[in-house]
Amino acid sequence: MPFVPGVPSITPKFKNTHLKTVWTALMVLLIAAGGYSCTTGAAETKKEDKPNIVVILVDDLGWKDIGVYGSPFHETPNIDKLSREGMMFTDAYAASAICSPSRASILTGKYPARLQLTDWIPGRQHKRGPDDWNTLTPPDFEQQLALEEVTLAEALKEADYSTGFFGKWHLGEEKFYPEHQGFDVNKGGWAAGNPRSAIYEGGGGYFSPYGNPKLENGPDGEYLTDRLTSESINFMKENKDKPFLVYLSYYSVHTPMEAKEDYIEKYEQKAKNIPPVNATGPRSILVTEEARARSRLIQDHPIYAGMVQSLDEGVGRVLESLQELGLDENTIVIFTSDHGGLSTGRNAVTSSFPLKGGKGWLHEGGSRVPLIIKWPGETKPRSVSETPVILTDIYPTLLELTGQPLKPEQHQDGLSLVPLLKGESELERDTFYWHYPHYSNHHSLPPGGAIRKGNYKLIEYYDDFEIELYNLSVDIGETENLAEKEPEKGKELQQILRDWRESVNAQMPSSRKTD
């Protein structure tokens, strides 16, 4: 019998040559039909059938903080290269302009309002009394990501993925840590929202000793961003023979502002070549009366730029390691930020201009984020999508990309981006919602909500229900409030926003008693 790929080389001994011929023909037909394999189940279990996943989530990185999105000061050659290898989204949004709710939305595919987790944990309530607010009392909100939620990691574990979490968690106390939410490995994820929060073993900050109960201290002076990168690479090496999810959730570029000394010196020299915005105010700061906050107009902060460079180098090391391991052609890479940059207030360290506002704001600077997705062999290199998307979309996108059934009852507020990544069509969705019933650390505006429908963006404040209305197609900076010019459009969007709040059982602030 001649060799046929997939047919056993040992043929049964038939006395009847006719039977032997029939048996051989039958085996060939079975192979052609996919009904027989010399290795039982090989087609279902081959590692290469399931792509690896690397999600890189940066803390506080603004929409314009990397080169490909227009930064004139920060240096990000590795992230820029990633964008050239995949698809860059111009209108990607976080589901919240604050960290904990945004992070919960990515892992669950749900809006924070639906989760009733709407502020950073524990929020400002933990250090204020009932009479400390202005005109409204914010609602009590969930202080953790509920264990009942089927996280993205848990969904991928159902498909036999190894799952590793590296970096910032900030979604509850110990029994709600990553290892209880679907991750096999947790390096660095605990209740704290930034390295300064460390309370164990001394230390605290970006240089070891870290004082992080979920991350052993490194050699004195080791940089946290470098360490989390190394932990992620080690996990990839250990799991290279089976599909894996690496969730690299950098603490960078959140405060405290700490960078390597030689990087600081480099960007101090670079900043000297940037002229001040005006001669009357502090360097690169504009006082905007309408917004009641100080907004940074240019990027020239040496320490922040040094932190961005270390971040970029970490991304480069991850991508290089995938190549060295021979995994780069079978690994989906997603790069994004949990919300807008710290570009307002006295402690502003970056600029979101021309976007208005920054972290904690309902304006574009608070929620518009960079998003790059590399899907090797499928997404056209250097492709750009201007279709609005939101980070709740990551959950169903990864399920579809890995061949898993969708979980619409879980990722209720996300859509798969696969059609966009294939360059095939637009998405059947044009409306996005934000709900922030709290007073932010980062501006003096009252609690409020927002909606984007098509090119229109409406913001509603909950103290007096006044609205702002903008047409983003011609006014990305939200400079002209159209509420009086287009009252019917304002009423329409305001009603849609209110109906949505009711549909998701959104918690609202209450009026403060003054008697």
Side-chain angles (χ1 to χ4, degrees):
M1 174 183 174
F3 172 75
V4 178
V7 176
S9 57
I10 299 177
T11 304
K13 295 181 179 180
F14 293 102
K15 293 182 179 180
N16 187 314
T17 57
H18 175 70
L19 289 176
K20 180 177 179 180
T21 301
V22 171
W23 181 88
T24 301
L26 178 60
M27 291 298 100
V28 172
L29 288 173
L30 284 172
I31 291 300
Y36 183 91
S37 173
C38 60
T39 305
T40 304
E44 288 78 23
T45 60
K46 286 192 302 180
K47 193 265 185 187
E48 56 266 28
D49 286 345
K50 295 178 181 178
N52 305 304
I53 302 165
V54 175
V55 175
I56 302 174
L57 178 63
V58 189
D59 196 8
D60 284 13
L61 187 74
W63 179 70
K64 196 182 173 184
D65 275 343
I66 56 180
V68 71
Y69 278 85
S71 174
F73 188 65
H74 307 145
E75 299 179 12
T76 56
N78 295 297
I79 301 172
D80 297 345
K81 180 176 181 291
L82 177 64
S83 76
R84 295 192 295 271
E85 296 173 345
M87 176 172 285
M88 167 185 166
F89 292 81
T90 63
D91 290 42
Y93 290 97
S96 173
I98 294 294
C99 51
S100 296
S102 175
R103 291 164 180 274
S105 73
I106 297 170
L107 288 167
T108 64
K110 292 180 179 179
Y111 278 121
R114 195 186 295 276
L115 297 168
Q116 297 192 343
L117 200 174
T118 47
D119 204 2
W120 59 276
I121 299 172
R124 299 173 78 186
Q125 281 94 319
H126 74 291
K127 52 186 177 183
R128 286 183 176 239
D131 296 327
D132 290 336
W133 305 106
N134 296 339
T135 59
L136 298 173
T137 299
D140 292 329
F141 64 99
E142 292 293 330
Q143 294 290 300
Q144 61 277 316
L145 176 58
L147 297 177
E148 290 76 15
E149 297 293 336
V150 180
T151 68
L152 173 62
E154 289 171 324
L156 290 172
K157 278 185 68 65
E158 293 174 5
D160 297 324
Y161 273 72
S162 295
T163 56
F165 184 90
F166 309 91
K168 174 174 173 175
W169 181 246
H170 202 191
L171 289 172
E173 296 295 333
E174 187 168 2
K175 66 179 181 179
F176 300 97
Y177 283 2
E179 56 265 40
H180 304 298
Q181 302 276 16
F183 290 97
D184 300 321
V185 172
N186 172 23
K187 297 288 187 178
W190 63 304
N194 66 76
R196 182 182 286 152
S197 301
I199 58 175
Y200 293 86
E201 303 177 24
Y206 280 95
F207 293 94
S208 185
Y210 306 118
N212 184 323
K214 301 302 295 185
L215 187 69
E216 294 181 0
N217 291 327
D220 285 353
E222 179 187 62
Y223 196 60
L224 179 58
T225 302
D226 297 342
R227 171 64 177 280
L228 293 175
T229 301
S230 296
E231 294 285 358
S232 300
I233 292 172
N234 290 339
F235 181 83
M236 293 192 303
K237 290 178 178 178
E238 293 169 358
N239 293 275
K240 62 183 177 64
D241 295 324
K242 64 177 298 187
F244 60 73
L245 163 67
V246 167
Y247 203 97
L248 178 49
S249 178
Y250 284 116
Y251 281 94
S252 291
V253 286
H254 197 290
T255 56
M257 290 291 102
E258 296 179 355
K260 299 174 182 177
E261 284 297 328
D262 53 339
Y263 291 2
I264 297 174
E265 293 173 4
K266 168 186 173 179
Y267 289 101
E268 283 177 341
Q269 294 300 315
K270 189 172 183 178
K272 290 179 180 179
N273 297 320
I274 302 175
V277 172
N278 57 63
T280 58
R283 178 179 174 82
S284 74
I285 295 291
L286 173 70
V287 178
T288 308
E289 295 299 335
E290 176 194 357
R292 291 175 279 176
R294 298 157 65 89
S295 298
R296 199 175 188 97
L297 289 184
I298 60 175
Q299 297 174 351
D300 63 355
H301 196 290
I303 303 177
Y304 186 79
M307 296 177 75
V308 172
Q309 179 168 334
S310 289
L311 162 70
D312 180 76
E313 290 171 351
V315 173
R317 287 177 57 203
V318 169
L319 299 178
E320 183 179 358
S321 295
L322 287 172
Q323 287 186 321
E324 292 174 350
L325 293 169
L327 302 175
D328 56 312
E329 292 303 314
N330 191 42
T331 301
I332 298 160
V333 180
I334 297 179
F335 175 90
T336 191
S337 174
D338 61 349
H339 49 68
L342 184 55
S343 57
T344 64
R346 295 183 180 277
N347 297 318
V349 292
T350 189
S351 172
S352 300
F353 187 80
L355 302 186
K356 183 176 181 177
K359 176 181 180 178
W361 287 58
L362 289 165
H363 297 87
E364 291 291 286
S367 56
R368 192 180 289 221
V369 295
L371 174 63
I372 299 167
I373 300 179
K374 177 186 176 182
W375 181 18
E378 295 290 344
T379 299
K380 182 180 179 181
R382 298 178 183 271
S383 54
V384 177
S385 174
E386 297 181 355
T387 300
V389 299
I390 194 163
L391 297 189
T392 52
D393 297 335
I394 289 176
Y395 194 134
T397 299
L398 288 178
L399 289 187
E400 184 168 355
L401 289 178
T402 56
Q404 312 311 311
L406 298 183
K407 296 178 178 291
E409 72 287 351
Q410 174 60 53
H411 49 76
Q412 297 180 42
D413 301 308
L415 289 181
S416 173
L417 303 180
V418 168
L420 296 181
L421 295 172
K422 287 185 173 182
E424 292 177 352
S425 64
E426 297 294 310
L427 299 178
E428 295 182 0
R429 174 189 59 190
D430 70 345
T431 310
F432 303 85
Y433 306 92
W434 294 268
H435 177 62
Y436 191 61
H438 308 275
Y439 290 95
S440 171
N441 286 358
H442 304 284
H443 62 70
S444 58
L445 299 176
I451 176 175
R452 173 172 175 172
K453 183 173 178 60
N455 289 322
Y456 278 92
K457 169 87 171 281
L458 178 137
I459 298 173
E460 178 184 46
Y461 298 108
Y462 297 156
D463 59 345
D464 55 15
F465 295 101
E466 290 294 316
I467 64 170
E468 297 176 12
L469 179 66
Y470 304 102
N471 185 340
L472 298 178
S473 66
V474 295
D475 184 20
I476 192 175
E478 297 167 293
T479 60
E480 184 182 5
N481 184 356
L482 303 174
E484 293 186 3
K485 290 184 178 180
E486 302 186 38
E488 293 305 315
K489 175 60 71 173
K491 291 178 182 178
E492 172 196 346
L493 295 184
Q494 189 175 31
Q495 187 59 52
I496 295 174
L497 179 59
R498 291 177 175 181
D499 291 344
W500 170 79
R501 286 201 300 264
E502 184 175 350
S503 72
V504 299
N505 195 27
Q507 294 176 297
M508 292 292 288
S510 57
S511 297
R512 196 184 127 198
K513 294 181 180 180
T514 57
D515 48 84

